[in-house]
Amino acid sequence: MGKVNYRERIARRAEKEINDGDYVNLGIGMPTLVANYISEDKTVVLQSENGLLGIGPYPTEDEVDPDLINAGKETVTSIPGSAYFTSAESFAMIRGGHVDVAILGAMEVSEKGDLANWMIPGKMIKGMGGAMDLVHGAKKIIVIMDHVARDGSAKIKKECELPLTGKQVVHKIITERAAIDITPDGLELREVFEGFTIQDVIDSTEAPLIVKNVIENVK
Amino acid sequence: MKPIYSSAKEAVADIQDGATIMVGGFGLVGIPEQLILALVEKGVKDLTVISNNCGVDEWGLGLLLKDKQIKKMIGSYVGENKEFERQVLSGEIEVELTPQGTLAEKIRAGGAGIPAFFTPAGVGTTVAEGKEIREFYGKDYVLEEALRADFSLIRAAKADKFGNLIYNKTAQNFNPMMATAGAVTIAEVEEIVETGDLDPQTIHTPSIYVQGLLQADQEKRIERLTTR
């Protein structure tokens, strides 16, 4: 399975965390892909922190409006029933606990659910954007990411080494190898995806995993 | 009736070296294009700029950055701009990265007479270092102070001559809060209509917050053109 298919697998699995009627914020990059896989029998409203509730599909060339973008600065459309608002209103929605699910990318996640996804000291300064607000506001925080870094090192760690985005904020991690819940007792391995074994996941995760009721060979 | 400037140059005439300015927009959407260009031409230096992003290398606030007119930048995401990253890493520019919602609320609070507020965003991170932490309902919150500016440069779709403003779609973003938090707010608008021609029920920014108007056509550059 290639990189592209892994991304699709992760996005499809993340979609299962979204319920009918949910208001959902999708982060930039892989999380944005989740929108492509939302089941037709669910009504889901996507929130974009730049001030749009009800993101629609990408526009046709004729529909492109430079004043209508998502938080990733991509041109989008809005669905019937959508609303535009200010950035302050947008984050009132987020901080106020009105968003049901937020799906974000990550550089590192700790066993306590600490998240690092905004800065590599001395190397990369992009800024946190809305991530620090989102992780404290949305009811369910899901991280989707590659299981290991490009150099093969673990991204799921005992402690994050990079500057944090939030402490004890992540509820679930979904990678191309596994779905893992963050519980008060630690990281609980829930699902292992086809092509990987429980041992593969343990070996590529720095933090200890609770292995009790694991579903294997999940497609 | 508010002053309607005949040029962007005239609109920014009072902005001097060392001024603190808020500049509206998210990415390149809703930025006051001509007012930024006028600041570049004027060559004002040592600016403190408060804006969510810092433009791209060749447009928007990126132009002020290229000319090293910005002393300090307060924003939330500057990843679209390589020159910015270079200036930060080399220590040429001071930067205060602020969570986006905190930034929006700091500006809203500044315009609304609220000096500070508690928010959960940034607790347990470098953002909260040196700031007061207080527990409410069993959870920690960090004290964040409001922001105000000498000038707010904003962009709207329509104004009437009173200075009431209407924004288009996601070009609203930070503009309405910034309108309230500038000692002097200058609105660059695509169209100015007669007072009374805008439906009062559709006004986003009431005229009280606006001190001057500039009509200017917008290029509306697109950062990421994505189509179906």
Side-chain angles (χ1 to χ4, degrees):
Chain A
M1 197 180 252
K3 180 101 180 165
V4 172
N5 291 334
Y6 280 148
R7 286 166 70 88
E8 183 182 326
R9 174 196 267 179
I10 295 170
R12 283 187 189 282
R13 178 59 190 81
E15 189 273 341
K16 295 196 168 67
E17 298 299 314
I18 299 171
N19 293 316
D20 184 30
D22 277 355
Y23 288 90
V24 177
N25 183 292
L26 301 176
I28 295 165
M30 189 154 54
T32 302
L33 291 180
V34 176
N36 300 339
Y37 303 105
I38 293 174
S39 158
E40 280 179 14
D41 52 20
K42 290 179 195 170
T43 302
V44 173
V45 181
L46 299 177
Q47 202 255 15
S48 191
E49 60 263 31
N50 56 315
L52 166 60
L53 195 57
I55 307 174
Y58 291 125
T60 61
E61 275 180 36
D62 292 342
E63 287 173 334
V64 169
D65 182 339
D67 282 343
L68 181 48
I69 60 165
N70 64 16
K73 285 131 192 159
E74 298 171 321
T75 48
V76 292
T77 58
S78 60
I79 60 167
S82 62
Y84 302 115
F85 37 83
T86 72
S87 302
E89 176 88 53
S90 179
F91 282 93
M93 272 173 212
I94 288 169
R95 255 189 264 98
H98 307 283
V99 172
D100 298 294
V101 182
I103 302 179
L104 299 93
M107 297 194 273
E108 294 177 342
V109 183
S110 83
E111 63 180 338
K112 295 186 194 75
D114 299 349
L115 169 68
N117 74 351
W118 73 283
M119 187 191 189
I120 304 173
K123 266 193 186 167
M124 184 203 87
I125 304 163
K126 293 195 184 303
M128 64 292 280
M132 285 193 183
D133 309 273
L134 266 166
V135 294
H136 287 285
K139 290 175 199 150
K140 189 155 70 170
I141 305 293
I142 296 163
V143 159
I144 64 174
M145 63 177 187
D146 296 328
H147 201 92
V148 296
R150 271 185 212 147
D151 64 1
S153 61
K155 294 177 70 168
I156 304 170
K157 302 187 161 187
K158 287 183 183 163
E159 295 282 348
C160 292
E161 283 161 40
L162 294 169
L164 293 184
T165 306
K167 252 185 133 102
Q168 298 180 34
V169 291
V170 178
H171 300 115
K172 192 177 199 85
I173 305 167
I174 299 168
T175 73
E176 78 284 5
R177 300 184 189 186
I180 297 168
D181 284 350
I182 288 96
T183 75
D185 300 325
L187 296 176
E188 191 159 342
L189 183 60
R190 294 287 188 193
E191 295 164 41
V192 173
F193 298 130
E194 191 182 35
F196 296 95
T197 63
I198 292 177
Q199 195 59 45
D200 288 337
V201 176
I202 291 171
D203 290 346
S204 55
T205 306
E206 187 200 277
L209 294 170
I210 300 165
V211 182
K212 277 196 305 204
N213 301 307
V214 184
I215 308 170
E216 293 181 77
N217 274 313
V218 177
K219 287 195 201 295
Chain B
M1 290 292 188
K2 296 290 158 60
I4 298 175
Y5 304 108
S6 59
S7 67
K9 186 180 172 183
E10 190 193 342
V12 303
D14 290 339
I15 302 180
Q16 303 299 333
D17 290 357
T20 295
I21 58 170
M22 289 183 183
V23 181
F26 179 95
L28 299 179
V29 173
I31 62 170
E33 298 179 0
Q34 296 303 315
L35 294 173
I36 294 170
L37 287 170
L39 287 178
V40 173
E41 195 163 317
K42 188 178 159 89
V44 278
K45 296 247 182 294
D46 297 325
L47 297 171
T48 294
V49 175
I50 301 164
S51 188
N52 188 56
N53 312 93
C54 202
V56 295
D57 283 327
E58 294 302 325
W59 193 238
L61 291 174
L63 299 170
L64 283 177
L65 196 65
K66 199 169 79 176
D67 286 358
K68 310 219 168 116
Q69 291 172 265
I70 304 176
K71 182 185 70 178
K72 181 177 179 182
M73 176 75 207
I74 301 174
S76 89
Y77 188 83
V78 291
E80 319 297 348
N81 195 311
K82 290 197 179 62
E83 172 63 12
F84 187 90
E85 212 163 7
R86 193 197 64 73
Q87 287 188 23
V88 174
L89 292 172
S90 67
E92 290 167 48
I93 191 173
E94 195 186 331
V95 60
E96 197 173 305
L97 288 169
T98 305
Q100 199 176 325
T102 299
L103 183 64
E105 193 63 14
K106 276 170 166 274
I107 299 166
R108 196 197 70 80
I114 307 284
F117 58 91
F118 283 98
T119 177
V123 169
T125 77
T126 53
V127 166
E129 279 172 13
K131 295 174 184 167
E132 183 186 339
I133 304 288
R134 198 184 293 180
E135 190 186 305
F136 295 92
Y137 320 113
K139 186 174 165 168
D140 283 344
Y141 293 79
V142 56
L143 184 69
E144 292 282 3
E145 292 183 15
L147 286 170
R148 290 187 63 85
D150 302 318
F151 293 87
S152 283
L153 308 182
I154 64 165
R155 220 282 290 296
K158 269 189 185 180
D160 65 18
K161 290 181 174 174
F162 259 30
N164 291 302
L165 304 178
I166 293 174
Y167 307 92
N168 187 39
K169 299 180 180 167
T170 55
Q172 194 172 162
N173 56 63
F174 282 82
N175 284 300
M177 287 86 70
M178 287 183 174
T180 70
V184 174
T185 291
I186 302 166
E188 177 172 334
V189 300
E190 292 166 62
E191 187 186 356
I192 300 175
V193 301
E194 291 302 322
T195 299
D197 282 358
L198 298 180
D199 178 353
Q201 298 208 86
T202 64
I203 304 292
H204 291 122
T205 290
S207 67
I208 193 167
Y209 300 116
V210 178
Q211 279 69 48
L213 298 168
L214 173 73
Q215 190 283 320
D217 294 337
Q218 302 293 310
E219 281 190 30
K220 299 193 181 180
R221 293 195 190 177
I222 293 173
E223 262 179 86
R224 297 215 170 87
L225 180 66
T226 39
T227 53
R228 231 178 285 174

